[in-house]
Amino acid sequence: MVGMEVLVVGSGGREHALALGLSKSESVSVVHCTPGNAGTSMVAINHGVLTTDIEGIVKLASDLRVTLVVVGPEGPLVAGLSDRLRQESIPSFGPHSEGALLEGSKIHAKMVMDSLGIPTGRFEKVEDLESIEGCLKSFDSPWVIKRDVLAGGKGVTVTSSRKEACEALRIGIESDGYVLIEEHLSGEEASVLVIMDESGFVMLPASQDHKRVGNNDTGPNTGGMGAYAPAPVATPSVLTRTREEIVEPMHHYLRNSEIPYRGCLYVGLMIDEEGSPSVVEFNVRLGDPEAQVTIPLFESDLGEALLAAAEGRLAETDVEFRNVHASTVVLASEGYPGNVISGRIIEGWDSAIDEGQVLGFTHLAGATRAESGELISSGGRVLSTTGIAPSLSEALEASYQIIQGINLKGSHYRDDIGFRALR
């Protein structure tokens, strides 16, 4: 296994975190990334094949003779990238297209949970405009409306406004033919990433993402403004219930599918005041920015773990995690998550902290590009600053020390990441 070459598919901060983690794995000699970003180019060899070009990625992996492909985003998985790679006998960390439907179709995921008795909110499929008022009456406010498509994390509307709920339902029906309305779950959110194959599963330390753009969880939803791990809301009791009531039934179901699930199952949780976890959503890949705070916690060789899952032998591999804390804070361009202003120079992003047990560094996202020796913003979330330390407060201090030294005109970030854990 020593000296394997790995291809990472994607261009975001998650893929930069994967490339960094794999570059530090003793089992890995070379990391490739496609299409990658300015950050991955510093630790991997970038290639120009886009994530939408399934056959192009398969050809690239074959030409490079890589040992493993790690698929970052959900789009290529739903489109069947892992199916095609396995047809060519190339191990892929990422589920086949049928398994990827757990994210590709929210209704499919809800029906699977319902059939397995997994705790989740009540739901209903809305197919015609005339039934909108009746559906709203059957669910309490706030209403949760979800389009049944891949929408980059922006296909969900949560609102207490009947007018906004009606509009979201109307748009969903007219765009897709139907839309999902769900029971609103209250409590505190957490995410558990689970590496899984037919032989077994490993639950990574729980993390907590911050979706709202503003402090104290105000403003519109985003792709994520920061995260930290481990999340203390996921107590040992909560994690035990999550394992027994959610992960184990899902693993039993997925391992007995015609094609076993091999990859990451992202379990988005809502934990109520009694400590009962329910599933908000499943994703079929590492989260972003959750990956930035869980991958650095690996004590074991990351490359070995991902290859073992891709080959269906995870149970033979010991996976251990470091007893430290991680945080990441996202720097966003002016206007994000609305009309973004791009094309501005980013200065000070390459500073780092290395003070014994306290580390700090930057993960670059897909919204950056290198141009004439400068780093230029090219989208919404441009980077995140990550801290690793013995305590969460020290990790956050490192994250904020770096982000405060970065200059990007009009940029913004939240200054309260981790506030629930620290209060």
Side-chain angles (χ1 to χ4, degrees):
M1 188 185 301
V2 174
M4 68 175 173
E5 296 195 23
V6 182
L7 173 62
V8 176
V9 176
S11 62
R14 164 184 50 220
E15 286 72 40
H16 190 191
L18 281 165
L20 276 171
L22 289 165
S23 70
K24 297 174 183 176
S25 298
E26 292 185 4
S27 64
V28 177
S29 61
V30 181
V31 181
H32 301 269
C33 195
T34 191
N37 61 37
T40 61
S41 69
M42 300 173 192
V43 292
I45 302 169
N46 280 358
H47 301 267
V49 184
L50 300 179
T51 59
T52 52
D53 185 357
I54 301 302
E55 292 305 318
I57 296 171
V58 174
K59 184 179 186 304
L60 177 64
S62 179
D63 290 347
L64 293 172
R65 297 186 179 182
V66 297
T67 311
L68 169 68
V69 176
V70 180
V71 186
E74 64 276 15
L77 294 170
V78 174
L81 176 56
S82 288
D83 309 55
R84 283 290 293 116
L85 288 166
R86 288 165 188 154
Q87 287 174 5
E88 303 298 325
S89 300
I90 302 172
S92 176
F93 182 81
H96 53 90
S97 54
E98 183 180 338
L101 278 177
L102 287 171
E103 182 168 358
S105 171
K106 294 175 176 60
I107 288 177
H108 169 73
K110 281 288 193 178
M111 292 176 67
V112 169
M113 285 186 269
D114 192 48
S115 69
L116 299 176
I118 289 173
T120 189
R122 184 170 65 89
F123 68 99
E124 188 171 331
K125 182 179 180 181
V126 189
E127 300 181 80
D128 55 83
L129 299 174
E130 292 74 20
S131 62
I132 286 178
E133 281 297 331
C135 289
L136 289 177
K137 289 179 181 177
S138 66
F139 287 84
D140 293 331
S141 171
W143 295 283
V144 181
I145 294 96
K146 295 182 178 180
R147 294 180 61 196
D148 195 35
V149 295
L150 291 179
K154 299 175 183 177
V156 179
T157 299
V158 181
T159 181
S160 297
S161 165
R162 180 175 290 271
K163 181 180 179 181
E164 288 182 14
C166 287
E167 182 68 4
L169 288 164
R170 182 191 65 78
I171 291 172
I173 293 170
E174 292 181 350
S175 300
D176 312 318
Y178 59 88
V179 68
L180 192 69
I181 183 168
E182 290 186 14
E183 173 189 2
H184 181 263
L185 299 175
S186 60
E188 191 169 340
E189 291 191 59
S191 304
V192 176
L193 308 181
V194 186
I195 298 177
M196 182 180 293
D197 67 10
E198 61 267 39
S199 73
F201 64 84
V202 175
M203 295 169 58
L204 278 61
S207 58
Q208 187 171 84
D209 185 13
H210 295 63
K211 287 292 186 188
R212 299 282 183 173
V213 71
N215 286 351
N216 298 312
D217 290 335
T218 57
N221 272 323
T222 71
M225 294 299 293
Y228 62 95
V233 67
T235 63
S237 173
V238 167
L239 290 174
T240 296
R241 293 191 62 174
T242 299
R243 173 186 289 269
E244 294 176 350
E245 299 173 17
I246 299 167
V247 178
E248 288 179 353
M250 284 301 298
H251 179 249
H252 181 76
Y253 166 76
L254 292 170
R255 71 176 295 187
N256 289 298
S257 300
E258 184 176 348
I259 305 174
Y261 191 103
R262 295 178 178 178
C264 176
L265 181 67
Y266 172 120
V267 183
L269 297 172
M270 184 67 75
I271 302 164
D272 67 17
E273 292 181 353
E274 286 73 43
S276 299
S278 296
V279 176
V280 176
E281 64 176 354
F282 286 132
N283 292 329
V284 297
R285 36 69 188 185
L286 295 167
D288 185 344
E290 292 91 344
Q292 288 91 304
V293 294
T294 51
I295 289 175
L297 300 185
F298 269 78
E299 182 74 50
S300 307
D301 187 290
L302 177 64
E304 287 184 3
L306 301 186
L307 179 62
E311 294 182 336
R313 51 180 183 81
L314 183 62
E316 303 171 9
T317 305
D318 291 327
V319 181
E320 298 180 354
F321 301 96
R322 301 164 61 196
N323 185 26
V324 294
H325 295 257
S327 63
T328 199
V329 181
V330 170
L331 183 72
S333 293
E334 182 177 355
Y336 181 80
N339 296 321
V340 171
I341 299 176
S342 298
R344 290 174 170 171
I345 295 174
I346 308 167
E347 297 175 325
W349 62 270
D350 53 352
S351 64
I353 297 170
D354 188 352
E355 300 175 356
Q357 292 181 296
V358 180
L359 302 175
F361 51 94
T362 299
H363 286 113
L364 298 184
T368 57
R369 70 176 190 272
E371 185 178 298
S372 302
E374 301 280 4
L375 189 68
I376 308 297
S377 66
S378 59
R381 295 186 298 163
V382 297
L383 57 82
S384 61
T385 57
T386 301
I388 314 292
S391 69
L392 177 58
S393 60
E394 290 172 297
L396 285 163
E397 185 178 350
S399 292
Y400 281 113
Q401 182 177 327
I402 294 176
I403 206 167
Q404 287 163 6
I406 296 174
N407 181 30
L408 170 60
K409 183 180 178 181
S411 62
H412 59 96
Y413 59 88
R414 284 183 56 165
D415 61 18
D416 67 342
I417 300 301
F419 73 93
R420 291 187 184 86
L422 296 176
R423 65 191 174 192

